[in-house]
Amino acid sequence: MNTFKLKIIASNKVFFDGEASYLVVPSVDGGLMGFLPRHENCVLPIDVGEMKIIDANEGKIDAFVGSGFLEFLNNEATLVCISAELPEEIDERRAREASERAQEELRQKRSMLEYHHSQMNLARAMERLKVKNKHKI
């Protein structure tokens, strides 16, 4: 079978550990980065957004992924990220509250560091909501 080893480690769990034939993650430049078996060796940062996996059994997995980095080395990919959640695991109410908090923080006059932190919180909340709403049944 034409696959590669994939392990996705979030801060609170191992999200995926097995064989995959396809992986797409959001890149920090605003685009998407795709990986197929025997991809060239690389290390790259990833951004918050939607991740897509096709496992060895041709099962499709769509999920939210928080920022982190991915290493692809000798047909093995390791993705270490802040969070990884299936759409059904996302608490929509909590994500909306986080979005509202971040928007309020952005309206307040704060330091540049706090401003950028609030922007990141807002982006993460909005991406979680986007993944959740896209995959509602």
Side-chain angles (χ1 to χ4, degrees):
M1 187 170 280
N2 203 10
T3 62
F4 59 94
K5 173 82 173 114
L6 174 62
K7 188 167 190 173
I8 300 173
I9 305 164
S11 61
N12 62 341
K13 64 184 172 185
V14 174
F15 179 79
F16 185 92
D17 190 3
E19 294 291 316
S21 59
Y22 180 70
L23 171 67
V24 173
V25 294
S27 64
V28 293
D29 65 1
L32 298 171
M33 184 70 177
F35 295 87
L36 294 169
R38 292 179 293 288
H39 190 281
E40 70 179 341
N41 294 340
C42 65
V43 176
L44 69 130
I46 62 166
D47 205 357
V48 298
E50 186 173 11
M51 165 177 61
K52 296 180 182 292
I53 303 166
I54 296 180
D55 66 20
N57 301 320
E58 299 302 317
K60 185 177 178 185
I61 301 168
D62 294 315
F64 166 80
V65 64
S67 58
F69 71 92
L70 182 132
E71 175 189 60
F72 202 102
L73 184 62
N74 299 325
N75 211 41
E76 291 186 14
T78 304
L79 190 152
V80 179
C81 57
I82 292 173
S83 60
E85 299 171 282
L86 295 170
E88 58 268 19
E89 296 173 334
I90 296 172
D91 184 341
E92 188 171 0
R93 181 188 55 79
R94 191 171 142 239
R96 286 195 190 289
E97 289 172 356
S99 172
E100 290 167 7
R101 269 193 313 275
Q103 288 174 7
E104 178 58 34
E105 289 172 0
L106 286 170
R107 284 190 284 274
Q108 298 173 4
K109 302 231 188 267
R110 296 182 175 243
S111 71
M112 286 305 290
L113 177 63
E114 291 171 323
Y115 174 79
H116 290 294
H117 183 78
S118 296
Q119 274 189 320
M120 189 62 202
N121 287 340
L122 179 59
R124 184 173 42 253
M126 297 304 291
E127 285 295 327
R128 290 178 78 225
L129 287 169
K130 184 171 90 177
V131 170
K132 175 74 174 180
N133 291 328
K134 183 176 181 182
H135 298 283
K136 276 189 176 178
I137 297 173

